[in-house]
């Protein structure tokens, strides 16, 4: 297979090694160039940065706490476990970091209409929130399967004034919502900003969304050094598109040498098992390909058709992964493992019962890997887990799967 | 083969016909393709069905789903091109695909097979000029013409870059939209063609939303060819495999002769 896409002579913008790039229909190319330009200007503008920092602090609730999970640590009898509490942010997940950033950027570009896709509904809720705050029109595309399993978030988006459009195509999940949002953007490109919710899609989205989430790792690195005077053994995060993971990983990437080397572990959705169609573990069963604007690992069949995916968690249920993760995977700087539906559900229950924290099912995948790993390490080791969101939205699924019906 | 927009009768504008290969079965695509050529089509765009066609509207999305459900693969599209080339040596044949099925097949292997099958050109919807570099070389080595989309939103700098690497013709998108049948021909189209004329001497085909004789007549004034996609795919959807070739031929004959002939057993392909 020919996987070498980038020309040798001239490296196109937005590459992470061989991955990333800009694979879009021509209609969107001018808009993506405009976005790249606007983002570069905003990044260099202290007023933009100051306004964003103010909103992150006073509106979203940053910095988030770093919490030492003492009971879980004692129970597992190995490494010390710290949780980065993104679940305590306004709207209940890390997604608000990116939405505030892109919302300000859209305002700067003079775009009054915002569209977004959502899987778990957390990105949709955060987008609807920011649109309400800035007085912008908001349309959120959501697979009808996801609307059913994350019903609470559908109501939250409507409460905030957003229009939620059901997507009935394909598997009726995140991938199909992204396709529909892209079709809307192609049609309304002159007036509309596409507020993409993860480190996916064409350049500059993967780099820009990462930059807006970098604050997670910047805070966590400072907090752990204050508390422990040393770096963690490993940083763990769930990987859907990969935004919360790259957000917490990024400032630890240079910590790659010798004794102080920090392992970076991304946890994908192992779903029901290893068969294609039963999971969303791109680094287990996927191969390089192009989907929705970027070259990255993709779950696909031998004809290059995108495979169906499954995860109990809507936010991880996607056939591709952010291109920067693909590069971190190939270079070996980050490791990617999978946790099954069952492991994630059990991890959610365990965290609820030992620490009084109900994690989002997405985040529960990272907790599951932590539960597996901690007992194999020594008390001198430190695990830093990104608790990307809280589980309120998942109570329906948790009640069903964990038989919380009582009686 | 040069791609030429002059059919036997010298009718203007040229007609480019898009078909999703394998929709209603490969035999239907073959029969419709032959009927379209015999009804005056100059160029066929053979669409490779893809699971996630982000630039397409509901009509072509549904056709792609049907074609995939019938098991259509890139190899089938190439084999059909080979057969059409044997049967109609002078027609233009363009493979129209999203990038991923080509990557998975292997771009080098694809180009080799496409040349063998007598394909003239290749258009990948989600491959803009800046990502095309290494693919261009592979295409040219096999004498395949790289064809690119130009959009009303494309800046002049982008149009120049597109003109520089295009061969055969430039495909001008009439509006900022996904594919689909529309009532009005967008006013964007003429402006885009004028801007393209300043940077290229290649023929310009205009598509997206073209479905009525009025559209085609308007395009005859300023474009070299009209691309008919969703209107044909929609006709095939509402026909039986047996009636589809006749219906498509009748529709195409009507397109270049105003007014549209009334009273037939076929759908109109109209919005
Ligand atoms: C709480 C939470 N964590 C993680 C994710 C997965 O996204 P990403 O991998 O971009 O962080 C989602 C997506 O909906 C989410 O809601």
């Amino acid at each position: 297979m020919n996987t070498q896409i980038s020309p040798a002579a001239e490296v196109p913008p937005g590459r992470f090694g061989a991955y990333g790039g800009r694979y879009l229909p021509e209609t969107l190319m001018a808009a993506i160039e405009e976005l790249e330009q606007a983002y570069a200007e905003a990044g260099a503008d202290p007023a933009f940065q100051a306004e964003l920092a103010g909103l992150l602090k006073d509106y979203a609730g940053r910095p988030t706490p770093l919490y030492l999970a003492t009971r879980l640590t004692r129970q597992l009898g190995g490494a010390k476990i710290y949780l980065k509490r993104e679940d305590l942010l306004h709207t209940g997940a890390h997604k608000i970091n990116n939405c505030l950033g892109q919302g300000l950027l859209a305002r700067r570009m003079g775009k009054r209409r915002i569209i977004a896709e959502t899987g778990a509904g957390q990105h949709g809720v955060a987008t609807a929130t920011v649109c309400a705050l800035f007085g912008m029109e908001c349309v959120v595309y959501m697979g009808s399967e996801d609307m059913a399993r994350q019903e609470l978030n559908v109501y939250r988006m409507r409460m905030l004034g957003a229009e939620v459009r059901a997507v009935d195509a394909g598997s009726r999940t995140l991938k199909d919502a992204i396709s529909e949002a892209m079709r809307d953007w192609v049609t309304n490109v002159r007036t509309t900003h596409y507020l993409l919710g993860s480190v996916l899609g064409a350049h500059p989205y993967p780099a820009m969304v990462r930059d807006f989430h970098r604050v997670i790792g910047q805070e966590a690195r400072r907090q752990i050094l204050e508390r422990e005077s040393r770096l963690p053994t490993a940083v763990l995060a769930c990987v859907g598109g990969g935004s919360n993971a790259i957000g917490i990983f990024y400032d630890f990437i240079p910590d790659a040498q010798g004794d102080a080397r920090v392992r970076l572990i991304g946890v994908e959705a192992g779903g029901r098992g290893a068969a294609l169609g039963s999971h969303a573990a791109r680094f287990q069963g996927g191969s390089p390909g192009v989907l929705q604007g970027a070259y990255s690992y993709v779950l696909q069949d031998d004809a290059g058709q995108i495979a169906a995916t499954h995860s109990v968690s809507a936010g991880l249920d996607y056939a591709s992964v952010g291109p920067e993760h693909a590069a971190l995977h190939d270079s070996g700087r980050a490791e990617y493992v999978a946790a099954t539906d069952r492991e994630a559900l059990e991890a959610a229950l365990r965290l609820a019962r030992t620490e009084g924290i109900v994690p989002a099912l997405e985040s529960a995948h990272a907790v599951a890997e932590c539960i597996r790993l901690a007992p194999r390490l020594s008390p001198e080791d430190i695990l830093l887990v990104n608790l990307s969101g809280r589980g309120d939205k998942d109570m329906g699924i948790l009640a069903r799967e964990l038989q919380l019906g009582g009686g | 083969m040069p791609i030429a927009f002059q059919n036997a009768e010298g009718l203007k504008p040229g007609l480019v016909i898009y078909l999703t290969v394998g929709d209603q079965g490969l035999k239907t695509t073959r029969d419709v393709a032959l009927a379209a050529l015999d009804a005056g089509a100059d160029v066929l765009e053979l669409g490779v069905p893809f699971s996630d066609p982000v630039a397409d509207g509901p009509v072509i999305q549904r056709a792609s789903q049907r074609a995939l459900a019938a098991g259509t693969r890139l190899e089938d599209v190439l084999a059909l091109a080979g057969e059409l080339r044997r049967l109609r040596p002078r027609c233009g044949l363009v493979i129209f695909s999203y990038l991923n099925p080509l990557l998975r097949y292997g771009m080098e292997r694809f180009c080799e097979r496409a040349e063998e099958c007598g394909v003239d050109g290749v258009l990948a919807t989600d491959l803009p000029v800046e990502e095309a570099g290494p693919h261009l070389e592979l295409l040219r080595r096999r004498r395949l013409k790289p064809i690119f989309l130009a959009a009303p939103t494309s800046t002049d700098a982008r149009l120049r870059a597109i003109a520089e690497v295009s061969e055969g013709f430039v495909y001008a998108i009439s509006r900022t939209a996904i594919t689909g049948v529309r009532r009005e021909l967008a006013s964007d189209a003429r402006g885009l063609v004028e801007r393209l004329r300043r940077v290229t001497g290649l023929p310009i085909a205009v598509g997206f939303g073209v479905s009525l004789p009025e559209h085609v007549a308007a395009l005859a004034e300023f474009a070299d060819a009209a691309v008919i996609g969703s209107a044909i795919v929609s006709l095939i959807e509402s026909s039986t495999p047996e009636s589809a070739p006749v219906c498509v031929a009748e529709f195409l004959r009507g397109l270049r002769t105003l007014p549209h002939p009334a009273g037939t057993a076929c759908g109109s392909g109209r919005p």
Side-chain angles (χ1 to χ4, degrees):
Chain A
M1 186 171 65
N2 170 27
T3 55
Q4 186 58 46
I5 295 191
S6 67
E10 186 190 337
V11 179
R15 288 280 165 183
F16 306 95
Y19 301 103
R22 215 172 237 182
Y23 296 91
L24 288 179
E26 178 61 25
T27 312
L28 291 177
M29 290 304 289
I32 207 102
E33 286 175 349
E34 180 195 353
L35 178 62
E36 181 183 29
Q37 177 74 25
Y39 176 58
E41 284 166 18
D45 178 357
F48 178 89
Q49 297 297 352
E51 187 171 9
L52 179 55
L55 286 167
L56 286 173
K57 175 168 171 287
D58 300 329
Y59 186 73
R62 300 214 74 91
T64 57
L66 184 72
Y67 168 70
L68 173 61
T70 38
R71 289 196 73 219
L72 186 65
T73 297
R74 206 176 314 131
Q75 238 184 42
L76 294 171
K80 220 174 194 180
I81 297 162
Y82 279 93
L83 306 177
K84 179 63 175 162
R85 299 292 309 273
E86 293 298 292
D87 60 315
L88 294 178
L89 282 173
H90 180 42
T91 70
H94 69 292
K95 300 282 182 186
I96 191 80
N97 301 326
N98 169 48
C99 291
L100 284 168
Q102 284 196 53
L104 283 176
L105 196 58
R107 204 180 64 186
R108 206 183 152 94
M109 288 190 293
K111 309 246 171 166
R112 306 292 311 168
R113 181 175 181 269
I114 301 292
I115 56 170
E117 83 296 339
T118 196
Q122 287 303 119
H123 175 60
V125 167
T127 303
T129 298
V130 167
C131 288
L133 178 66
F134 294 160
M136 292 167 163
E137 183 188 344
C138 181
V139 174
V140 179
Y141 290 91
M142 189 169 189
S144 51
E145 160 86 17
D146 290 341
M147 283 179 75
R149 60 178 162 167
Q150 309 276 224
E151 195 182 15
L152 184 66
N153 275 342
V154 175
Y155 299 138
R156 289 172 80 195
M157 287 184 266
R158 290 188 182 141
M159 176 79 190
L160 291 158
E163 181 191 342
V164 183
R165 291 192 188 159
V167 179
D168 278 317
S171 54
R172 305 188 182 94
T173 56
L174 182 57
K175 168 171 72 73
D176 312 289
I178 293 178
S179 286
E180 214 45 46
M182 288 176 77
R183 292 183 186 114
D184 181 314
W185 201 28
V186 166
T187 309
N188 301 297
V189 60
R190 289 175 172 123
T191 59
T192 298
H193 174 65
Y194 179 13
L195 208 164
L196 184 55
S198 192
V199 286
L200 297 169
H203 176 69
Y205 283 105
M208 177 176 72
V209 176
R210 174 202 67 210
D211 291 349
F212 288 138
H213 284 302
R214 254 186 86 175
V215 62
I216 307 172
Q218 286 168 337
E219 285 175 10
R221 196 171 183 285
R222 179 167 44 72
Q223 288 166 321
I224 199 84
L225 285 173
E226 275 167 20
R227 295 281 283 273
E228 295 282 346
S229 304
R230 64 203 165 100
L231 292 170
T233 311
V235 181
L236 293 88
C238 67
V239 183
S243 67
N244 87 87
I246 203 76
I248 197 164
F249 286 175
Y250 200 66
D251 277 57
F252 291 100
I253 290 174
D255 301 311
Q257 304 307 325
D259 286 350
R261 178 182 166 90
V262 177
R263 288 173 65 190
L264 306 175
I265 303 175
V267 188
E268 299 184 281
R272 299 192 191 98
L276 192 64
S278 300
H279 64 84
R282 290 69 42 109
F283 292 118
Q284 314 295 320
S287 54
V290 166
L291 177 64
Q292 296 173 333
Y295 182 59
S296 185
Y297 278 69
V298 180
L299 289 165
Q300 55 183 319
D301 69 13
D302 66 351
Q305 305 297 339
I306 308 308
T309 53
H310 163 80
S311 170
V312 70
S313 110
L316 305 186
D317 195 354
Y318 180 64
S320 187
V321 62
E324 193 162 15
H325 286 289
L328 288 170
H329 170 269
D330 283 11
S331 74
R333 180 62 192 94
E335 308 153 52
Y336 295 85
V337 297
T340 63
D341 286 354
R342 192 41 50 193
E343 288 166 335
L345 288 161
E346 279 164 11
L349 189 64
R350 183 142 185 186
L351 192 67
R353 300 280 163 93
T354 51
E355 296 291 346
I357 297 170
V358 180
L361 275 172
E362 290 78 18
S363 323
H365 285 72
V367 176
E369 177 59 18
C370 166
I371 289 171
R372 211 181 55 79
L373 190 58
R376 303 183 190 173
L377 299 175
S378 79
E380 282 74 59
D381 286 309
I382 298 168
L383 293 181
L384 168 60
V385 181
N386 197 13
L387 210 65
S388 57
R390 61 176 178 243
D392 308 33
K393 69 183 177 65
D394 295 315
M395 285 323 304
I397 300 170
L398 289 167
R400 193 174 64 244
E401 295 289 332
L402 299 170
Q403 273 111 45
L404 305 178
Chain B
M1 251 312 121
I3 295 179
F5 297 114
Q6 339 145 318
N7 44 60
E9 298 99 83
L11 290 174
K12 283 211 70 179
L15 286 184
V16 179
I17 304 304
Y18 168 90
L19 299 171
T20 300
V21 176
D23 179 16
Q24 311 267 32
L26 286 165
K27 182 173 180 312
T28 305
T29 310
R30 170 190 175 275
D31 294 348
V32 169
L34 292 172
L37 290 170
D38 296 343
D42 305 284
V43 175
L44 292 176
E45 288 180 346
L46 299 176
V48 179
F50 184 51
S51 53
D52 297 84
V54 293
D56 285 299
V59 170
I60 293 178
Q61 285 178 49
R62 286 198 300 271
S64 305
Q65 283 309 315
R66 286 192 299 268
L68 289 175
T72 314
R73 298 171 65 92
L74 179 55
E75 189 57 50
D76 299 317
V77 180
L78 290 165
L80 177 64
E83 187 180 357
L84 292 170
R85 173 55 70 229
R86 275 193 302 284
L87 296 170
R88 298 290 184 278
R90 297 174 54 82
C91 75
L93 289 175
V94 173
I95 302 286
F96 195 103
S97 185
Y98 286 83
L99 188 57
N100 202 54
L102 307 185
L103 289 180
R104 185 69 198 205
Y105 191 86
M107 196 51 93
E108 193 163 0
R109 176 172 162 235
F110 164 73
C111 291
E112 191 183 318
R113 276 289 288 146
E115 185 188 35
E116 272 169 30
C117 294
V119 169
D120 299 299
V122 177
L123 192 162
T125 317
D126 51 354
L127 184 71
V129 276
E130 46 270 80
E131 301 291 358
H135 303 310
L136 287 175
E137 268 177 52
L138 294 171
L139 288 166
R140 290 190 185 122
R141 211 180 295 159
R142 295 290 173 180
R143 281 180 307 246
L144 297 164
K145 299 178 196 342
I147 296 164
F148 288 91
L149 299 168
T153 47
S154 305
T155 56
D156 286 340
R158 297 197 59 79
L159 293 186
R160 272 195 302 278
I162 289 164
E164 216 165 273
V165 294
S166 294
E167 293 172 43
F169 64 96
V170 177
Y171 186 143
I173 300 175
S174 65
R175 64 184 71 229
T176 59
I178 51 178
T179 57
V181 174
R182 304 291 194 306
R183 219 167 275 286
E184 312 276 318
L185 185 67
S187 54
D188 283 347
R190 187 187 285 263
L192 173 59
V193 172
E194 281 166 8
R195 289 200 295 136
L196 273 169
R197 294 278 188 219
R198 283 182 224 133
V199 294
T200 182
L202 287 173
I204 297 168
V206 176
F208 279 43
V210 181
S211 57
L212 297 172
E214 298 89 287
H215 300 160
V216 174
L219 286 177
E221 290 173 21
F222 61 89
D224 301 291
V227 188
I228 321 290
S230 297
I232 301 266
V233 175
S234 167
L235 258 185
I236 295 171
E237 182 173 50
S238 61
S239 312
T240 62
E242 294 71 36
S243 67
V246 180
C247 292
V248 167
E250 187 179 307
F251 173 73
L252 289 182
R253 289 207 180 87
L255 272 185
R256 280 192 293 206
T257 48
L258 282 165
H260 198 73
T264 75
C266 299
S268 69
R270 283 173 174 259

